[in-house]
Amino acid sequence: MLNPFPQLLVYGFFAPLLLRATVACVLFFVAWHVHQKASILASITFPLVGKTRPWLMRLAASATALAGATLLAGYATQWSAILGILVALKLVWLKKELEPALKLPTSTYLLVLVICLSLLVTGAGALAFDLPL
């Protein structure tokens, strides 16, 4: 079947930009809420690590915000996408424990996971500092 709007295919290079911005917004949201509720989350017993400290929760929030910032800027996109994948897997796995801080549904984290996998394979797209070799 022919494309109904073949003129729009020229702008396909901007699609990863929209995906990067979307994932960055979700990661900033997660980082902000984890940072705000660090003391509450520190009192929760997590699998494998047990209880944590508030500074460790703030460190995790900083790593999440760093991943969001580098994705938004398009710098080291594949490394940032890997970090985004790890964050999304952590959020899906620890959904019940993180319930007091994060109210997003699991489907949001799965979409972030899929978008980060897509960015890992396709690259940064337009308006990025990454240069394909």
Side-chain angles (χ1 to χ4, degrees):
M1 179 174 164
L2 295 175
N3 286 324
F5 304 108
Q7 312 86 301
L8 295 179
L9 296 177
V10 175
Y11 301 110
F13 192 59
F14 289 99
L17 170 67
L18 298 173
L19 294 175
R20 285 185 303 142
T22 303
V23 170
C25 288
V26 172
L27 291 179
F28 287 146
F29 178 83
V30 168
W32 175 257
H33 282 283
V34 169
H35 178 74
Q36 291 294 317
K37 310 265 177 147
S39 59
I40 295 171
L41 291 173
S43 65
I44 297 171
T45 303
F46 290 100
L48 299 177
V49 293
K51 290 194 183 258
T52 61
R53 304 268 188 216
W55 66 268
L56 192 59
M57 297 309 292
R58 288 189 177 94
L59 182 68
S62 298
T64 305
L66 178 68
T70 54
L71 276 173
L72 186 62
Y75 181 73
T77 304
Q78 289 182 321
W79 288 109
S80 301
I82 291 172
L83 187 55
I85 290 168
L86 293 176
V87 167
L89 286 173
K90 178 189 78 165
L91 292 171
V92 169
W93 186 43
L94 299 175
K95 176 69 172 134
K96 288 178 85 173
E97 287 83 4
L98 295 173
E99 192 71 34
L102 301 172
K103 301 293 185 193
L104 292 175
T106 307
S107 60
T108 302
Y109 305 133
L110 291 174
L111 284 173
V112 167
L113 175 71
V114 170
I115 291 172
C116 286
L117 283 171
S118 172
L119 288 172
L120 181 66
V121 174
T122 61
L127 302 177
F129 291 107
D130 285 351
L131 295 175
L133 299 176

mmCIF file of all heavy atoms in Angstrom, residues 76-108:
data_model
loop_
_atom_site.group_PDB
_atom_site.id
_atom_site.type_symbol
_atom_site.label_atom_id
_atom_site.label_comp_id
_atom_site.label_asym_id
_atom_site.label_seq_id
_atom_site.Cartn_x
_atom_site.Cartn_y
_atom_site.Cartn_z
ATOM 1 N N ALA A 76 25.827 10.663 24.264
ATOM 2 C CA ALA A 76 26.050 9.267 24.676
ATOM 3 C C ALA A 76 24.717 8.530 24.763
ATOM 4 O O ALA A 76 24.385 7.903 25.773
ATOM 5 C CB ALA A 76 26.814 9.192 25.994
ATOM 6 N N THR A 77 23.961 8.608 23.700
ATOM 7 C CA THR A 77 22.581 8.107 23.715
ATOM 8 C C THR A 77 22.508 6.610 23.959
ATOM 9 O O THR A 77 21.628 6.150 24.698
ATOM 10 C CB THR A 77 21.880 8.470 22.402
ATOM 11 O OG1 THR A 77 21.961 9.877 22.229
ATOM 12 C CG2 THR A 77 20.444 8.042 22.403
ATOM 13 N N GLN A 78 23.408 5.851 23.362
ATOM 14 C CA GLN A 78 23.319 4.410 23.557
ATOM 15 C C GLN A 78 23.648 4.017 24.995
ATOM 16 O O GLN A 78 22.997 3.142 25.560
ATOM 17 C CB GLN A 78 24.221 3.686 22.561
ATOM 18 C CG GLN A 78 23.676 3.776 21.147
ATOM 19 C CD GLN A 78 24.524 3.029 20.147
ATOM 20 O OE1 GLN A 78 25.740 3.053 20.230
ATOM 21 N NE2 GLN A 78 23.867 2.364 19.214
ATOM 22 N N TRP A 79 24.628 4.678 25.603
ATOM 23 C CA TRP A 79 24.922 4.419 27.009
ATOM 24 C C TRP A 79 23.769 4.860 27.894
ATOM 25 O O TRP A 79 23.408 4.171 28.861
ATOM 26 C CB TRP A 79 26.212 5.112 27.435
ATOM 27 C CG TRP A 79 27.432 4.473 26.867
ATOM 28 C CD1 TRP A 79 28.244 4.975 25.889
ATOM 29 C CD2 TRP A 79 27.975 3.195 27.203
ATOM 30 N NE1 TRP A 79 29.257 4.088 25.611
ATOM 31 C CE2 TRP A 79 29.111 2.990 26.413
ATOM 32 C CE3 TRP A 79 27.604 2.203 28.109
ATOM 33 C CZ2 TRP A 79 29.884 1.839 26.497
ATOM 34 C CZ3 TRP A 79 28.376 1.056 28.182
ATOM 35 C CH2 TRP A 79 29.502 0.879 27.388
ATOM 36 N N SER A 80 23.189 5.992 27.566
ATOM 37 C CA SER A 80 22.044 6.480 28.339
ATOM 38 C C SER A 80 20.837 5.568 28.164
ATOM 39 O O SER A 80 20.057 5.377 29.097
ATOM 40 C CB SER A 80 21.683 7.897 27.908
ATOM 41 O OG SER A 80 22.770 8.746 28.096
ATOM 42 N N ALA A 81 20.672 5.020 26.964
ATOM 43 C CA ALA A 81 19.566 4.089 26.727
ATOM 44 C C ALA A 81 19.763 2.816 27.545
ATOM 45 O O ALA A 81 18.791 2.272 28.082
ATOM 46 C CB ALA A 81 19.454 3.763 25.248
ATOM 47 N N ILE A 82 21.000 2.361 27.668
ATOM 48 C CA ILE A 82 21.272 1.186 28.509
ATOM 49 C C ILE A 82 20.939 1.496 29.966
ATOM 50 O O ILE A 82 20.316 0.688 30.662
ATOM 51 C CB ILE A 82 22.734 0.727 28.344
ATOM 52 C CG1 ILE A 82 22.946 0.145 26.944
ATOM 53 C CG2 ILE A 82 23.116 -0.294 29.411
ATOM 54 C CD1 ILE A 82 24.384 -0.151 26.606
ATOM 55 N N LEU A 83 21.332 2.680 30.426
ATOM 56 C CA LEU A 83 20.989 3.079 31.795
ATOM 57 C C LEU A 83 19.471 3.206 31.953
ATOM 58 O O LEU A 83 18.911 2.803 32.974
ATOM 59 C CB LEU A 83 21.678 4.388 32.155
ATOM 60 C CG LEU A 83 21.560 4.855 33.597
ATOM 61 C CD1 LEU A 83 22.047 3.793 34.568
ATOM 62 C CD2 LEU A 83 22.335 6.137 33.794
ATOM 63 N N GLY A 84 18.785 3.734 30.937
ATOM 64 C CA GLY A 84 17.325 3.817 30.967
ATOM 65 C C GLY A 84 16.673 2.441 31.006
ATOM 66 O O GLY A 84 15.659 2.246 31.684
ATOM 67 N N ILE A 85 17.254 1.490 30.293
ATOM 68 C CA ILE A 85 16.744 0.113 30.325
ATOM 69 C C ILE A 85 16.880 -0.459 31.727
ATOM 70 O O ILE A 85 15.948 -1.083 32.256
ATOM 71 C CB ILE A 85 17.485 -0.761 29.285
ATOM 72 C CG1 ILE A 85 17.086 -0.357 27.868
ATOM 73 C CG2 ILE A 85 17.237 -2.238 29.523
ATOM 74 C CD1 ILE A 85 17.965 -0.950 26.786
ATOM 75 N N LEU A 86 18.036 -0.234 32.344
ATOM 76 C CA LEU A 86 18.243 -0.740 33.706
ATOM 77 C C LEU A 86 17.281 -0.086 34.700
ATOM 78 O O LEU A 86 16.736 -0.760 35.579
ATOM 79 C CB LEU A 86 19.691 -0.511 34.128
ATOM 80 C CG LEU A 86 20.737 -1.317 33.369
ATOM 81 C CD1 LEU A 86 22.133 -0.918 33.807
ATOM 82 C CD2 LEU A 86 20.507 -2.798 33.547
ATOM 83 N N VAL A 87 17.061 1.211 34.550
ATOM 84 C CA VAL A 87 16.117 1.914 35.429
ATOM 85 C C VAL A 87 14.699 1.367 35.226
ATOM 86 O O VAL A 87 13.975 1.116 36.185
ATOM 87 C CB VAL A 87 16.171 3.436 35.187
ATOM 88 C CG1 VAL A 87 15.004 4.146 35.848
ATOM 89 C CG2 VAL A 87 17.488 4.010 35.683
ATOM 90 N N ALA A 88 14.307 1.177 33.968
ATOM 91 C CA ALA A 88 12.960 0.668 33.684
ATOM 92 C C ALA A 88 12.785 -0.745 34.229
ATOM 93 O O ALA A 88 11.729 -1.070 34.799
ATOM 94 C CB ALA A 88 12.692 0.698 32.182
ATOM 95 N N LEU A 89 13.803 -1.597 34.075
ATOM 96 C CA LEU A 89 13.715 -2.945 34.628
ATOM 97 C C LEU A 89 13.616 -2.905 36.151
ATOM 98 O O LEU A 89 12.858 -3.661 36.758
ATOM 99 C CB LEU A 89 14.928 -3.773 34.194
ATOM 100 C CG LEU A 89 14.943 -4.233 32.747
ATOM 101 C CD1 LEU A 89 16.277 -4.883 32.408
ATOM 102 C CD2 LEU A 89 13.794 -5.181 32.464
ATOM 103 N N LYS A 90 14.381 -2.015 36.773
ATOM 104 C CA LYS A 90 14.320 -1.870 38.235
ATOM 105 C C LYS A 90 12.932 -1.412 38.661
ATOM 106 O O LYS A 90 12.371 -1.911 39.637
ATOM 107 C CB LYS A 90 15.372 -0.865 38.702
ATOM 108 C CG LYS A 90 15.333 -0.612 40.199
ATOM 109 C CD LYS A 90 16.209 0.529 40.591
ATOM 110 C CE LYS A 90 15.493 1.811 40.243
ATOM 111 N NZ LYS A 90 16.034 3.010 40.842
ATOM 112 N N LEU A 91 12.344 -0.466 37.927
ATOM 113 C CA LEU A 91 11.027 0.046 38.291
ATOM 114 C C LEU A 91 9.934 -0.997 38.110
ATOM 115 O O LEU A 91 8.983 -1.047 38.887
ATOM 116 C CB LEU A 91 10.712 1.301 37.475
ATOM 117 C CG LEU A 91 11.566 2.526 37.804
ATOM 118 C CD1 LEU A 91 11.317 3.626 36.798
ATOM 119 C CD2 LEU A 91 11.305 3.002 39.208
ATOM 120 N N VAL A 92 10.065 -1.835 37.093
ATOM 121 C CA VAL A 92 9.087 -2.911 36.900
ATOM 122 C C VAL A 92 9.247 -3.957 37.998
ATOM 123 O O VAL A 92 8.259 -4.438 38.564
ATOM 124 C CB VAL A 92 9.246 -3.547 35.499
ATOM 125 C CG1 VAL A 92 8.443 -4.817 35.375
ATOM 126 C CG2 VAL A 92 8.822 -2.557 34.428
ATOM 127 N N TRP A 93 10.483 -4.303 38.317
ATOM 128 C CA TRP A 93 10.751 -5.345 39.308
ATOM 129 C C TRP A 93 10.352 -4.898 40.717
ATOM 130 O O TRP A 93 9.831 -5.678 41.506
ATOM 131 C CB TRP A 93 12.224 -5.725 39.253
ATOM 132 C CG TRP A 93 12.591 -6.894 40.119
ATOM 133 C CD1 TRP A 93 11.895 -8.071 40.266
ATOM 134 C CD2 TRP A 93 13.727 -6.999 40.964
ATOM 135 N NE1 TRP A 93 12.554 -8.895 41.145
ATOM 136 C CE2 TRP A 93 13.684 -8.266 41.581
ATOM 137 C CE3 TRP A 93 14.784 -6.167 41.239
ATOM 138 C CZ2 TRP A 93 14.658 -8.688 42.466
ATOM 139 C CZ3 TRP A 93 15.758 -6.610 42.116
ATOM 140 C CH2 TRP A 93 15.681 -7.854 42.716
ATOM 141 N N LEU A 94 10.604 -3.633 41.046
ATOM 142 C CA LEU A 94 10.334 -3.130 42.394
ATOM 143 C C LEU A 94 9.055 -2.296 42.462
ATOM 144 O O LEU A 94 8.946 -1.390 43.285
ATOM 145 C CB LEU A 94 11.518 -2.292 42.877
ATOM 146 C CG LEU A 94 12.849 -3.008 42.986
ATOM 147 C CD1 LEU A 94 13.943 -2.033 43.354
ATOM 148 C CD2 LEU A 94 12.768 -4.139 43.990
ATOM 149 N N LYS A 95 8.097 -2.591 41.627
ATOM 150 C CA LYS A 95 6.866 -1.804 41.555
ATOM 151 C C LYS A 95 6.148 -1.748 42.908
ATOM 152 O O LYS A 95 5.710 -0.686 43.335
ATOM 153 C CB LYS A 95 5.953 -2.381 40.471
ATOM 154 C CG LYS A 95 4.613 -1.720 40.375
ATOM 155 C CD LYS A 95 4.731 -0.317 39.843
ATOM 156 C CE LYS A 95 3.344 0.234 39.579
ATOM 157 N NZ LYS A 95 3.183 1.564 40.086
ATOM 158 N N LYS A 96 6.042 -2.874 43.586
ATOM 159 C CA LYS A 96 5.315 -2.899 44.865
ATOM 160 C C LYS A 96 6.056 -2.113 45.942
ATOM 161 O O LYS A 96 5.436 -1.417 46.737
ATOM 162 C CB LYS A 96 5.103 -4.342 45.318
ATOM 163 C CG LYS A 96 4.076 -5.087 44.491
ATOM 164 C CD LYS A 96 3.942 -6.505 44.959
ATOM 165 C CE LYS A 96 2.955 -6.523 46.105
ATOM 166 N NZ LYS A 96 2.619 -7.895 46.532
ATOM 167 N N GLU A 97 7.375 -2.199 45.963
ATOM 168 C CA GLU A 97 8.149 -1.495 46.982
ATOM 169 C C GLU A 97 8.149 0.019 46.750
ATOM 170 O O GLU A 97 8.188 0.796 47.692
ATOM 171 C CB GLU A 97 9.594 -2.003 47.015
ATOM 172 C CG GLU A 97 9.752 -3.385 47.624
ATOM 173 C CD GLU A 97 9.470 -4.506 46.643
ATOM 174 O OE1 GLU A 97 9.215 -4.221 45.455
ATOM 175 O OE2 GLU A 97 9.503 -5.673 47.060
ATOM 176 N N LEU A 98 8.123 0.440 45.497
ATOM 177 C CA LEU A 98 8.184 1.859 45.163
ATOM 178 C C LEU A 98 6.816 2.518 45.089
ATOM 179 O O LEU A 98 6.710 3.684 44.721
ATOM 180 C CB LEU A 98 8.915 2.051 43.832
ATOM 181 C CG LEU A 98 10.387 1.660 43.815
ATOM 182 C CD1 LEU A 98 10.940 1.734 42.411
ATOM 183 C CD2 LEU A 98 11.179 2.526 44.756
ATOM 184 N N GLU A 99 5.785 1.792 45.441
ATOM 185 C CA GLU A 99 4.416 2.308 45.364
ATOM 186 C C GLU A 99 4.200 3.597 46.160
ATOM 187 O O GLU A 99 3.483 4.483 45.700
ATOM 188 C CB GLU A 99 3.422 1.226 45.814
ATOM 189 C CG GLU A 99 1.995 1.546 45.512
ATOM 190 C CD GLU A 99 1.682 1.478 44.040
ATOM 191 O OE1 GLU A 99 2.262 0.641 43.345
ATOM 192 O OE2 GLU A 99 0.849 2.277 43.573
ATOM 193 N N PRO A 100 4.819 3.783 47.350
ATOM 194 C CA PRO A 100 4.586 5.042 48.074
ATOM 195 C C PRO A 100 5.109 6.274 47.340
ATOM 196 O O PRO A 100 4.599 7.371 47.531
ATOM 197 C CB PRO A 100 5.347 4.850 49.389
ATOM 198 C CG PRO A 100 5.519 3.399 49.543
ATOM 199 C CD PRO A 100 5.559 2.830 48.165
ATOM 200 N N ALA A 101 6.108 6.110 46.499
ATOM 201 C CA ALA A 101 6.707 7.270 45.833
ATOM 202 C C ALA A 101 6.232 7.446 44.403
ATOM 203 O O ALA A 101 6.087 8.569 43.927
ATOM 204 C CB ALA A 101 8.231 7.151 45.846
ATOM 205 N N LEU A 102 6.001 6.357 43.715
ATOM 206 C CA LEU A 102 5.684 6.428 42.289
ATOM 207 C C LEU A 102 4.312 5.855 42.020
ATOM 208 O O LEU A 102 4.027 4.714 42.373
ATOM 209 C CB LEU A 102 6.727 5.670 41.474
ATOM 210 C CG LEU A 102 8.156 6.170 41.628
ATOM 211 C CD1 LEU A 102 9.114 5.234 40.933
ATOM 212 C CD2 LEU A 102 8.292 7.565 41.086
ATOM 213 N N LYS A 103 3.482 6.643 41.377
ATOM 214 C CA LYS A 103 2.110 6.212 41.104
ATOM 215 C C LYS A 103 1.890 5.866 39.632
ATOM 216 O O LYS A 103 0.768 5.677 39.206
ATOM 217 C CB LYS A 103 1.122 7.318 41.494
ATOM 218 C CG LYS A 103 1.212 7.716 42.945
ATOM 219 C CD LYS A 103 0.767 6.604 43.856
ATOM 220 C CE LYS A 103 0.764 7.088 45.291
ATOM 221 N NZ LYS A 103 0.648 6.042 46.237
ATOM 222 N N LEU A 104 2.964 5.822 38.846
ATOM 223 C CA LEU A 104 2.810 5.485 37.437
ATOM 224 C C LEU A 104 2.510 4.004 37.281
ATOM 225 O O LEU A 104 3.016 3.172 38.037
ATOM 226 C CB LEU A 104 4.080 5.830 36.669
ATOM 227 C CG LEU A 104 4.406 7.308 36.530
ATOM 228 C CD1 LEU A 104 5.749 7.489 35.862
ATOM 229 C CD2 LEU A 104 3.335 8.022 35.744
ATOM 230 N N PRO A 105 1.717 3.640 36.281
ATOM 231 C CA PRO A 105 1.427 2.217 36.071
ATOM 232 C C PRO A 105 2.639 1.481 35.482
ATOM 233 O O PRO A 105 3.546 2.090 34.921
ATOM 234 C CB PRO A 105 0.259 2.232 35.083
ATOM 235 C CG PRO A 105 0.325 3.553 34.423
ATOM 236 C CD PRO A 105 0.948 4.501 35.390
ATOM 237 N N THR A 106 2.620 0.188 35.618
ATOM 238 C CA THR A 106 3.705 -0.641 35.103
ATOM 239 C C THR A 106 3.837 -0.509 33.592
ATOM 240 O O THR A 106 4.940 -0.592 33.056
ATOM 241 C CB THR A 106 3.455 -2.112 35.476
ATOM 242 O OG1 THR A 106 3.233 -2.188 36.890
ATOM 243 C CG2 THR A 106 4.630 -2.988 35.123
ATOM 244 N N SER A 107 2.744 -0.270 32.912
ATOM 245 C CA SER A 107 2.802 -0.130 31.452
ATOM 246 C C SER A 107 3.665 1.060 31.035
ATOM 247 O O SER A 107 4.315 1.011 29.988
ATOM 248 C CB SER A 107 1.397 0.013 30.876
ATOM 249 O OG SER A 107 0.755 1.150 31.422
ATOM 250 N N THR A 108 3.712 2.108 31.839
ATOM 251 C CA THR A 108 4.572 3.248 31.528
ATOM 252 C C THR A 108 6.033 2.836 31.556
ATOM 253 O O THR A 108 6.815 3.201 30.670
ATOM 254 C CB THR A 108 4.331 4.388 32.530
ATOM 255 O OG1 THR A 108 2.959 4.749 32.489
ATOM 256 C CG2 THR A 108 5.195 5.587 32.212
#
